Every structure is written in structure tokens, then in C-alpha cells.
Amino acid sequence: MQAERRALREALRSDLPAAHMGLGVTVIALIVVASFSAPRWTLIIAGVVTAWFLLALVMIHIGSGRGWDAVRRAYIATFGWGNWI
């Protein structure tokens, strides 16, 4: 059971370069949405991403993270999906 959990953690692990990739894709997607639709949708999507980041930051801060480590962990939690692109 522990070996399976360890393998799953390793498969789902992401790091800072992956988060940078996720942020870049998010910015490109926002530019595409802004160019093809009303600014309202761009603001809605940007607001959702910002809210997700702030929620992750609050949850990490409540847990054990403090300072820049909490910001880094929330950044990875928000944009770390860039690892799977």
C-alpha cells in the first residue's frame, strides 16, 4: 500500500518550472479569450484563477506554510498542472 501511494505521489508531483509553464499557458489562453470575446469573459476567467490562488494561499497559510514558502506552494498548487502539457 505504501509503495502504491509513493508511486502516486511521484506521478502527481509538480515543481516550479511546471508552474511557470501553467502560468504561461493561462496567460496565452486569456489573450486568446480577450481577442475573440468580450472583456467580461477575460475578467471572469482571470478572477477565477486569482480566487483559486488566494484560496490555495489561505489554506496553505492555515496549515503550516509561512511567508514566501506559502506563496510558492500556492503558486505551484494553482499552476502546477503545466507539468502535464
Side-chain angles (χ1 to χ4, degrees):
M1 182 97 143
Q2 288 178 347
E4 290 176 11
R5 287 184 181 172
R6 186 176 308 123
L8 182 63
R9 272 196 307 269
E10 288 299 319
L12 295 178
R13 184 170 299 208
S14 64
D15 51 359
L16 206 53
H20 292 329
M21 174 74 81
L23 177 63
V25 170
T26 302
V27 169
I28 290 170
L30 284 172
I31 291 169
V32 169
V33 168
S35 64
F36 289 114
S37 67
R40 174 183 62 175
W41 288 108
T42 306
L43 292 175
I44 289 171
I45 296 170
V48 167
V49 171
T50 302
W52 183 261
F53 173 77
L54 291 175
L55 178 66
L57 183 61
V58 166
M59 295 306 294
I60 290 169
H61 189 70
I62 287 173
S64 63
R66 297 287 184 255
W68 286 109
D69 181 54
V71 173
R72 185 182 68 78
R73 289 172 56 193
Y75 178 72
I76 291 172
T78 304
F79 299 108
W81 53 265
N83 201 24
W84 295 283
I85 294 178

